[in-house]
Amino acid sequence: MQKELTLSTSHHKILLTISYLNKLSYYPLSEGVYRILIGDVSDDIIPFKDCPTYGTLISFNSKKVSRYIMMLHRYGYISKKYDPQTNELYLEVTQKGEVASNKYFAKFKGSLLKKTPKGKPVIVKID
């Protein structure tokens, strides 16, 4: 019997990202999820900057996000949806993933964004 996956905050952020997109009738590849999580400012990602997880995992690389997604798929939190026009499998949150995400964020207190201290300015204009 397969042991249950213990979901970290990063797992939940990935689930929330995919769920957010699915509710808007968008289905991402793992690369799309990664680009939202790092806060990519490309023309194709900027329309999703209102996603609550936009820019919240800036230290992750695409390989790490792909591994998290693979684990979520393996344990049934997400599934793959086929698009015959692009011949690709896109990500969709399952009922199990939706329940886990809702339960986590219902008790989650605080912002998803990391608070980074502002550094001193390196260029200033002095009159």
Side-chain angles (χ1 to χ4, degrees):
M1 181 162 182
Q2 197 173 29
K3 188 176 149 185
E4 191 57 38
L5 177 66
T6 303
L7 299 178
S8 67
T9 301
S10 299
H11 285 109
H12 287 290
K13 286 181 179 183
I14 290 169
L15 280 173
L16 182 60
T17 303
I18 298 168
S19 178
Y20 174 84
L21 292 169
N22 290 172
K23 286 176 183 162
L24 297 173
S25 297
Y26 288 100
Y27 297 87
L29 293 171
S30 61
E31 180 67 18
V33 174
Y34 162 71
R35 291 174 58 197
I36 288 172
L37 291 170
I38 64 163
D40 191 343
V41 293
S42 302
D43 289 341
D44 55 336
I45 300 299
I46 282 297
F48 305 109
K49 72 178 188 303
D50 291 335
C51 179
T53 58
Y54 181 82
T56 60
L57 291 178
I58 58 174
S59 64
F60 277 33
N61 61 34
S62 63
K63 195 174 197 175
K64 190 169 190 174
V65 171
S66 291
R67 275 187 257 142
Y68 274 77
I69 288 172
M70 181 184 68
M71 292 304 292
L72 288 167
H73 181 257
R74 182 176 292 158
Y75 285 90
Y77 291 95
I78 59 176
S79 63
K80 302 224 175 165
K81 184 175 182 134
Y82 179 70
D83 177 29
Q85 290 186 331
T86 60
N87 199 30
E88 291 279 353
L89 291 170
Y90 293 90
L91 303 172
E92 180 176 34
V93 175
T94 63
Q95 184 66 31
K96 179 180 179 179
E98 200 67 47
V99 168
S101 185
N102 289 341
K103 185 189 274 189
Y104 177 80
F105 286 107
K107 66 179 182 178
F108 184 80
K109 294 187 180 15
S111 172
L112 291 175
L113 293 175
K114 289 186 176 182
K115 293 182 173 69
T116 54
K118 290 187 178 182
K120 65 180 180 180
V122 293
I123 301 173
V124 295
K125 180 179 179 183
I126 302 174
D127 293 323

